[in-house]
Amino acid sequence: MTQVHREQHAEGERTPFDEIERSLMQISWLAQRQFMQLLDDERFRLTVPQFYTLLHLEPLTEACKMSDLAEATHQSAASLTGVVDRLDEKQLIERVRDAKDRRQVMVAVTTYGRELVAEIKQARREQMQMALAHLAETEIEALMVLLDRVLSGMARTLERAEGGRLA
Amino acid sequence: MTQVHREQHAEGERTPFDEIERSLMQISWLAQRQFMQLLDDERFRLTVPQFYTLLHLEPLTEACKMSDLAEATHQSAASLTGVVDRLDEKQLIERVRDAKDRRQVMVAVTTYGRELVAEIKQARREQMQMALAHLAETEIEALMVLLDRVLSGMARTLERAEGGRLA
DNA sequence: GTGATATACTAAATGTTGTTGATTATCTAG
DNA sequence: CTAGATAATCAACAACATTTAGTATATCAC
């Protein structure tokens, strides 16, 4: 039933570009839904923005300024405060005032936060394996390369579109 | 399945699978943000669920039952009612009671709704072209095929995960 | 020190999605 | 005709993200 659209409508031919566009749109939607379901699991109880904020902190060895975090995760500072509040309540991150510049608040993931991210990634991995189970190994590798290139392009357009909006 | 090559990677090292996973996560996040920005434009003023609901109706030649629409867009019936309400207010869709079974409400996109979807797609296309501008034609084609396969896998896992939850 | 700027937070308001459980209208089986 | 199922909605509520504008604190240039 996900292919319903394929059927008809020949007012203007479908180009490969249209197909990619549609695929990306549907992937975006399905991925989001699927991931929301996962994050909503009783083990995690996270929202999507909360997770991606946490995900950005997770690999860092040092704490991260709020403003940098906002920029990196493409959220406004005011919005981020709320998100970080909720992560803080759950003890997934820690807020520390910077000693040098006491205006700044440095955010760092806690051990528990790291563990949770690992758990989520593992759960996600299992979902993903099911989704990619029917791809050959060479296809996986090709996909990896292509996605990387798409990603870099998307990041660029996003940054361009933001011009000052979140500043 | 494809765990084979995982073993030969040292701990802490990124496997191709990890890379795809990370790319998909980031694409999902960036795509969502980017798209939200676009839909929030004064021309459209739509939310993501509203758009995907509309997108599902757009290619259909006939009206669609609420319950079918809910299933197809992976939303609960009660939730969908609200979404459709807002699409209705904006005159992007029309609700008609089915003549045969008067319990059913059939939803169909309006001409204006189709126009708006076309506009959004066009705007999206421009964003997308910027993002894909650096890919070769053969890469685009390869990407198209792969995305299609990923998509079908994702749809399957999503449906499996939903088992009864939205019924 | 003073004034301007930077940083993060707060408050208040808005809108959306989502859930649960009840409700209305309709259909169908017997 | 009645009992029960079905389709969609409604009501009431919770949670979140988001925006705007304002505030407290700290820094820096002078």
Side-chain angles (χ1 to χ4, degrees), chain A residues 126-149:
Chain A
E126 282 159 18
Q127 277 191 338
M128 201 58 67
Q129 279 174 347
M130 288 196 286
L132 298 180
H134 61 307
L135 286 181
E137 217 168 290
T138 54
E139 287 180 311
I140 302 233
E141 277 154 28
L143 179 60
M144 185 180 73
V145 172
L146 292 169
L147 287 181
D148 230 39
R149 306 198 55 184

Side-chain angles (χ1 to χ4, degrees), chain A residues 13-165:
Chain A
E13 203 87 359
R14 280 259 164 75
T15 68
F17 204 88
D18 293 335
E19 293 288 348
I20 285 195
E21 187 185 39
R22 182 170 275 290
S23 291
L24 282 180
M25 280 180 170
Q26 285 191 39
I27 282 184
S28 167
W29 174 248
L30 291 177
Q32 192 185 331
R33 291 262 130 190
Q34 188 179 344
F35 199 31
M36 273 171 49
Q37 284 180 352
L38 179 65
L39 291 177
D40 196 40
D41 186 282
E42 58 192 29
R43 291 173 292 170
F44 312 131
R45 293 282 143 183
L46 289 179
T47 65
V48 174
Q50 284 166 29
F51 173 74
Y52 282 102
T53 303
L54 197 58
L55 184 67
H56 181 264
L57 292 174
E58 182 257 338
L60 302 182
T61 53
E62 297 180 358
C64 179
K65 278 175 57 184
M66 282 294 286
S67 47
D68 288 348
L69 187 55
E71 196 190 359
T73 59
H74 302 275
Q75 300 171 88
S76 74
S79 237
L80 181 63
T81 294
V83 172
V84 168
D85 278 349
R86 277 156 229 130
L87 291 174
D88 204 356
E89 278 167 25
K90 290 163 188 155
Q91 314 200 342
L92 297 169
I93 56 105
E94 263 178 348
R95 275 196 251 229
V96 184
R97 286 235 166 239
D98 188 34
K100 303 188 175 178
D101 185 341
R102 299 188 48 75
R103 289 170 305 182
Q104 293 179 14
V105 170
M106 311 299 286
V107 185
V109 65
T110 62
T111 304
Y112 172 46
R114 278 218 175 78
E115 285 168 8
L116 205 72
V117 169
E119 261 190 84
I120 292 170
K121 277 181 160 177
Q122 180 54 36
R124 179 92 177 128
R125 194 162 293 134
E126 282 159 18
Q127 277 191 338
M128 201 58 67
Q129 279 174 347
M130 288 196 286
L132 298 180
H134 61 307
L135 286 181
E137 217 168 290
T138 54
E139 287 180 311
I140 302 233
E141 277 154 28
L143 179 60
M144 185 180 73
V145 172
L146 292 169
L147 287 181
D148 230 39
R149 306 198 55 184
V150 174
L151 182 59
S152 66
M154 287 177 71
R156 267 204 305 282
T157 58
L158 184 57
E159 277 151 23
R160 206 173 300 153
E162 257 164 17
R165 273 228 256 174

Side-chain angles (χ1 to χ4, degrees), chain B residues 47 49-50 76 78-79 86 100-103:
Chain B
T47 65
Q50 283 165 28
S76 74
S79 238
R86 276 156 230 131
K100 303 188 176 180
D101 185 344
R102 299 190 43 76
R103 290 171 304 182

